[in-house]
């Protein structure tokens, strides 16, 4: 049987601690002698940085379709120049957010058609799906409470974040083998242990 691509993503709301857990997993893998490239969306390429500024620091209104297409353009660059080269070398690529963020925020949150999002996303990612996705689930009021300065999406009303959370849970229910749902309110050490155990079990590292 062909080994599944070593592509792992972290998803969840702002303030769920997913960036910390992604970093800890990368460090854990490196300690075990594995190549692990930690990456994120939006913004981990030269063009992606410019797109990130447009997306997160923009004062003027933006149509949800434009928003999604900008995230997708960032993703094209991300897959082509960061993720695929690592996977081709046999390394682990660990991304803080990926297509599920678009389904959750632009699809469930903003109400764009999931069918359209999937079609564009398949093209943007060349069909590359993560083998394993950790969803750090957290009630929105708890995540948002951890921020004082909010960026454009963090300023959305609570109902928006409720839809995003429910959307993530639906995505996870539809693909139970790919998703591992974790309660983000657990202690960081406990979460890190659980994550490492899952990766170890799947790839025998
Ligand atoms: P960022 O500042 O990177 O932080 P975090 O990942 O901790 O939230 O914020 C990225 C924002 O972009 C976040 O509010 C979610 C949003 N986003 C989307 O709406 N769609 C997407 O496809 C992606 C990748 C991100």
């Amino acid at each position: 049987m062909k080994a599944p691509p070593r592509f792992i993503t972290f998803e969840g709301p702002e303030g769920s601690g997913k960036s910390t857990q992604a970093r800890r997993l990368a460090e854990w893998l490196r300690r075990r002698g594995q190549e692990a490239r930690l990456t994120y969306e939006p913004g981990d390429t030269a063009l992606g940085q410019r797109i990130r500024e447009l997306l997160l620091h923009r004062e003027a209104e933006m149509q949800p379709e434009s928003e999604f297409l900008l995230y997708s353009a960032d993703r094209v660059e991300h897959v082509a120049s960061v993720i695929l080269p690592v996977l081709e070398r046999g390394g682990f690529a660990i991304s803080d957010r990926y297509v599920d963020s678009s389904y959750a925020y632009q699809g469930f949150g903003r109400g764009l058609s999931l069918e359209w999002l999937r079609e564009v996303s398949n093209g943007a990612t060349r069909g590359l799906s993560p083998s394993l996705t950790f969803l750090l689930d957290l009630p929105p009021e708890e995540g948002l409470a951890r921020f004082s300065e909010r960026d454009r999406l963090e300023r959305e009303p609570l109902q928006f974040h409720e839809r995003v959370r429910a959307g993530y849970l639906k995505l996870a229910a539809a693909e139970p083998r790919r998703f591992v749902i974790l309660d983000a309110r657990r202690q960081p050490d406990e979460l890190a242990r659980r994550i490492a155990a899952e990766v170890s079990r799947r790839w025998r590292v």
Side-chain angles (χ1 to χ4, degrees), residues 14 18 41 52 71 75 97 101-102 105-106 153:
E14 297 80 2
K18 68 185 162 38
E41 290 190 358
R52 181 183 173 90
Y71 281 114
R75 193 162 294 133
R97 298 195 181 282
S101 285
S102 286
Y105 286 83
Q106 281 68 54
L153 280 170

Side-chain angles (χ1 to χ4, degrees), residues 12-15 18-19 40-42 52 56 67-68 71 74-75 96-103 105-106 147 151 153-154 160:
E14 297 80 2
K18 68 185 162 38
S19 310
Y40 63 93
E41 290 190 358
R52 181 183 173 90
L56 302 183
E67 184 182 73
F68 166 65
Y71 281 114
D74 170 68
R75 193 162 294 133
D96 182 352
R97 298 195 181 282
Y98 190 60
V99 272
D100 296 305
S101 285
S102 286
Y103 300 145
Y105 286 83
Q106 281 68 54
F147 287 91
D151 71 22
L153 280 170
E154 285 149 5
F160 172 83

Side-chain angles (χ1 to χ4, degrees), residues 7-194:
F7 180 28
I8 300 171
T9 58
F10 283 79
E11 295 284 353
E14 297 80 2
S16 63
K18 68 185 162 38
S19 310
T20 304
Q21 292 299 331
R23 181 176 47 72
R24 289 183 65 159
L25 175 61
E27 288 164 359
W28 180 83
L29 283 164
R30 286 180 202 131
R31 283 200 301 276
R32 300 178 88 86
Q34 300 288 330
E35 177 184 358
R37 171 65 152 90
L38 181 61
T39 179
Y40 63 93
E41 290 190 358
D44 204 11
T45 61
L47 179 56
Q49 271 304 328
R50 311 280 297 269
I51 295 174
R52 181 183 173 90
E53 280 167 30
L54 289 174
L55 280 164
L56 302 183
H57 305 290
R58 200 184 134 121
E59 295 306 324
E61 281 304 300
M62 186 186 288
Q63 296 298 316
E65 288 84 352
S66 308
E67 184 182 73
F68 166 65
L69 290 169
L70 286 171
Y71 281 114
S72 298
D74 170 68
R75 193 162 294 133
V76 170
E77 300 304 314
H78 189 210
V79 168
S81 67
V82 179
I83 300 173
L84 284 178
V86 172
L87 297 179
E88 278 157 16
R89 285 199 299 273
F92 280 91
I94 298 166
S95 187
D96 182 352
R97 298 195 181 282
Y98 190 60
V99 272
D100 296 305
S101 285
S102 286
Y103 300 145
Y105 286 83
Q106 281 68 54
F108 290 96
R110 303 246 190 257
L112 293 183
S113 140
L114 285 175
E115 211 181 314
W116 182 60
L117 300 195
R118 284 194 201 281
E119 201 179 315
V120 174
S121 299
N122 278 336
T125 62
R126 307 185 191 179
L128 177 70
S129 176
S131 304
L132 175 59
T133 297
F134 292 103
L135 172 58
L136 283 122
D137 180 51
L138 188 67
E141 42 311 343
E142 297 198 26
L144 294 175
R146 302 186 195 181
F147 287 91
S148 49
E149 287 251 326
R150 295 185 177 182
D151 71 22
R152 210 171 50 80
L153 280 170
E154 285 149 5
R155 282 196 302 262
E156 290 294 328
L158 195 59
Q159 297 93 299
F160 172 83
H161 294 283
E162 298 280 7
R163 288 197 299 277
V164 170
R165 183 195 192 191
Y168 267 134
L169 292 171
K170 266 193 205 164
L171 294 167
E175 283 184 82
R177 252 199 63 75
R178 172 163 73 89
F179 275 92
V180 172
I181 305 175
L182 299 168
D183 182 344
R185 291 170 296 189
R186 300 258 173 213
Q187 287 303 314
D189 284 350
E190 184 190 335
L191 289 168
R193 271 197 302 276
R194 174 93 173 70

